[in-house]
């Protein structure tokens, strides 16, 4: 993918439901004087807030007015426009999305968005008869999530495999929680 000399290498997006904001940490490659990072939050196709920064690796706070939380029953996702601007011109542009949610544990209970939730998870080993451990299509990744939801699961323990990013995309879009487990590469840690 072609990119300019100065470009957005990555942006870490951390939701803060209680603070009604996203905390964004941009990493800018070959940053030049006069280049600014701009993040714009889009809700229901309307720009609702924006923030700018001139630093790479420094978190910025993007307000979420009238915050709407992501949940399995309402998998609402905000659109994000992430850009580098120099002399009023956009020199790099990335479109992304994010869900505003909070997951935490109190005692022996799980909470999603400050409400108790029962995790009814399936153990998903990521096996596909037509592709072994690789899904044969994006459509099959989506159907995998839909089938699990249809039989009553609200998420999956993703077992010992690095799952495709598109699987997580469909989980986000369809309201499906995921719990990643460490992959087992056959290493015996008991030997010095």
């Amino acid at each position: 993918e072609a990119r300019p000399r100065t470009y957005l290498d990555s942006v870490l997006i951390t939701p803060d439901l209680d603070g009604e904001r996203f905390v964004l940490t941009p990493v800018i490659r070959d940053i030049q004087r006069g280049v600014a990072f701009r993040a714009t939050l889009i809700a229901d196709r309307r720009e609702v807030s924006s923030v700018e920064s001139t630093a790479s690796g420094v978190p910025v706070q993007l307000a979420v007015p009238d915050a709407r939380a992501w949940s399995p029953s309402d998998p609402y996702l905000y659109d994000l426009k992430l850009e580098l601007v120099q002399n009023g011109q956009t020199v790099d542009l990335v479109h992304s999305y994010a869900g505003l949610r909070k997951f935490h544990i109190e005692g022996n209970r799980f909470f999603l968005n400050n409400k108790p939730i029962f995790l009814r998870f399936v153990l998903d080993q990521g096996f596909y008869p037509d592709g072994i451990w690789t899904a044969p299509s994006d459509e099959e990744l989506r159907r995998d999530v839909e089938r699990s939801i249809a039989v009553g699961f609200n998420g999956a323990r993703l077992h010992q495999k690095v799952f495709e990013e598109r699987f997580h995309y469909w989980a986000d879009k369809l309201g499906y929680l995921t719990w990643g487990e460490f992959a087992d590469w056959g290493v015996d840690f008991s030997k010095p």
Side-chain angles (χ1 to χ4, degrees):
E1 181 177 319
R3 59 185 181 224
R5 179 177 168 204
T6 300
Y7 64 94
L8 271 171
D9 187 47
S10 65
V11 179
L12 175 65
I13 304 166
T14 305
D16 178 2
L17 179 69
D18 296 333
E20 296 186 336
R21 64 187 179 174
F22 289 107
V23 178
L24 310 175
T25 307
V27 175
I28 304 164
R29 291 291 172 213
D30 199 21
I31 191 165
Q32 305 291 315
R33 182 176 298 247
V35 172
F37 167 72
R38 179 188 304 150
T40 304
L41 183 72
I42 302 164
D44 300 319
R45 298 187 178 153
R46 288 183 316 110
E47 293 185 2
V48 294
S49 91
S50 184
V51 67
E52 283 195 19
S53 170
T54 58
S56 177
V58 177
V60 295
Q61 299 176 17
L62 180 60
V64 182
D66 303 315
R68 182 173 170 186
W70 180 100
S71 71
S73 62
D74 182 19
Y76 185 78
L77 297 170
Y78 290 92
D79 290 312
L80 292 170
K81 183 167 69 170
L82 309 169
E83 52 192 326
L84 293 181
V85 180
Q86 186 173 31
N87 300 323
Q89 300 292 319
T90 298
V91 295
D92 194 15
L93 172 65
V94 176
H95 293 279
S96 192
Y97 71 88
L100 187 61
R101 70 178 183 190
K102 175 184 177 183
F103 191 86
H104 73 280
I105 298 170
E106 290 181 20
N108 61 357
R109 296 173 69 188
F110 295 102
F111 287 77
L112 177 64
N113 303 331
N114 298 316
K115 296 176 186 167
I117 184 170
F118 181 77
L119 301 179
R120 184 174 165 88
F121 280 14
V122 64
L123 175 64
D124 190 335
Q125 294 184 312
F127 178 79
Y128 298 91
D130 297 339
I132 307 177
W133 282 280
T134 302
S137 67
D138 184 57
E139 180 67 19
E140 183 55 33
L141 290 170
R142 182 182 60 79
R143 283 197 303 260
D144 198 15
V145 172
E146 290 173 334
R147 284 190 293 267
S148 186
I149 291 171
V151 296
F153 294 105
N154 61 2
R157 284 179 42 220
L158 306 180
H159 186 63
Q160 295 191 0
K161 173 189 158 182
V162 177
F163 276 66
E164 294 94 333
E165 289 182 14
R166 289 295 293 184
F167 179 88
H168 295 287
Y169 167 81
W170 286 115
D172 291 343
K173 294 288 278 186
L174 298 170
Y176 193 63
L177 297 164
T178 59
W179 174 325
E181 297 181 350
F182 286 105
D184 178 3
W185 305 110
V187 177
D188 184 354
F189 291 103
S190 66
K191 295 179 182 175

